[in-house]
Amino acid sequence: MPVRSANPIRARSLIRDNLEKQAGCLNLIHSRMPNIKVFSGTSHPDLAQRIVDRLGIDLGKVVTKKFSNLETCVEIGESVRGEDVYIVQSGSGEINDNLMELLIMINACKIASASRVTAVIPCFPYARQDKKDKLPGSEEKEESKKLAKKNYDWKFRAHAQSRAPISAKLVANMLSVAGADHIITMDLHASQIQGFFDIPVDNLYAEPAVLKWIKENIPEWKNSIIVSPDAGGAKRVTSIADRLNVEFALIHKERKKANEVASMVLVGDVKDKIAILVDDMADTCGTIVHAADRLVEAGATKVYAILTHGIFSGPAISRINNACFEAVVVTNTIPQDGHMRDCPKIQCIDVSMMFAEAVRRTHNGESVSYLFSNVPY
């Protein structure tokens, strides 16, 4: 409706206010719904390609190279001004180089006037260094033994906090300082890492995809038992066991003395059942291989292992090949093609659709909580 006023100055003021309000609404809509750009780092281009294929868009142009002194150089090959930018980079392979590459890409997009920069980090680097351990390192143990001979109270020193860094907090600070506005990741080693950030963090779960795989690939899953290889994963396995309506067990690593190999105590009955080991990650696979042997000794008919992040470094592949697993199932948060060629027991669950849906929902300002209990189709 036209603005009517006896005072022409007042009328002009009201018109100006209305125009500014309308412009503000348009700017708000534009800021919430900018165009979307997805870029890939060098750590996992296959996952990034799967994400953009699911979204129906093209992967953004970016050139990554190294100088002769191994410095990383990143050039964004298209305009990102006012865009909603997503950078896919996993914490795998050459972790330090990939982390630095991610930081440079975030900063390059931020100073190129991107509206928002979201780091999609399927496997969060340095996630295991999330606290100061109370157990002393090897040097402290040797020093404690020397002090013990001199009748010092070395027990107090043995339980003093170590001088280890909290590297996960450092990585969080680096991402924030580089210019990241939002983080999307999956199955953090410790969920409290989300608290290291002052920006929003969406920690997706592989659990819905794991449940789907169990029901489709293990015919006798109703006679199964979900097992955690350590006490720290008890919450994870109880959640899966509840949704499958089966029992759960856990393995407690017990140390008799310092520097002595841990004995594994099984808590739960696995006799004549299919044991499904569930953990968030496996690196050298020593723990899950020993756990599988313990389950077979306790009477389990078959043993499966399901892991979110299959790092598989060092002797991991040879250990799996020689172990009693029916299958070792991992997600593709880390590239698995090479591991699957070297070990026929390794199978892969594709979680690209979960990341793609998280990106779509974030871009459109929708809730991502649906993904915590469902697999998008």
Side-chain angles (χ1 to χ4, degrees), residues 304-326:
Y304 292 84
I306 302 181
L307 317 159
T308 304
H309 309 297
I311 301 171
F312 300 145
S313 64
I317 297 298
S318 62
R319 283 176 173 174
I320 294 173
N321 280 326
N322 297 327
C324 56
F325 292 112
E326 293 290 319

Side-chain angles (χ1 to χ4, degrees), residues 246-299:
V246 297
E247 295 180 356
F248 73 92
L250 62 87
I251 293 174
H252 175 62
K253 289 184 286 189
E254 192 176 57
R255 294 185 182 274
K256 301 294 184 183
K257 296 178 183 177
N259 295 329
E260 187 175 311
V261 176
S263 63
M264 288 191 161
V265 178
L266 175 63
V267 181
D269 183 16
V270 299
K271 186 174 178 59
D272 299 326
K273 292 183 179 179
I274 297 171
I276 304 174
L277 280 163
V278 177
D279 207 355
D280 66 316
M281 67 171 61
D283 193 351
T284 58
C285 294
T287 299
I288 63 166
V289 167
H290 284 116
D293 293 339
R294 182 71 187 85
L295 291 169
V296 171
E297 290 173 8

Side-chain angles (χ1 to χ4, degrees), residues 38 63 86 89-90 93 110 164 222 226 237 290 298 359:
V38 178
V63 177
Y86 295 83
Q89 182 83 312
S90 195
K110 200 66 179 177
K222 292 184 179 179
I226 313 300
V237 300
H290 284 116
V359 168

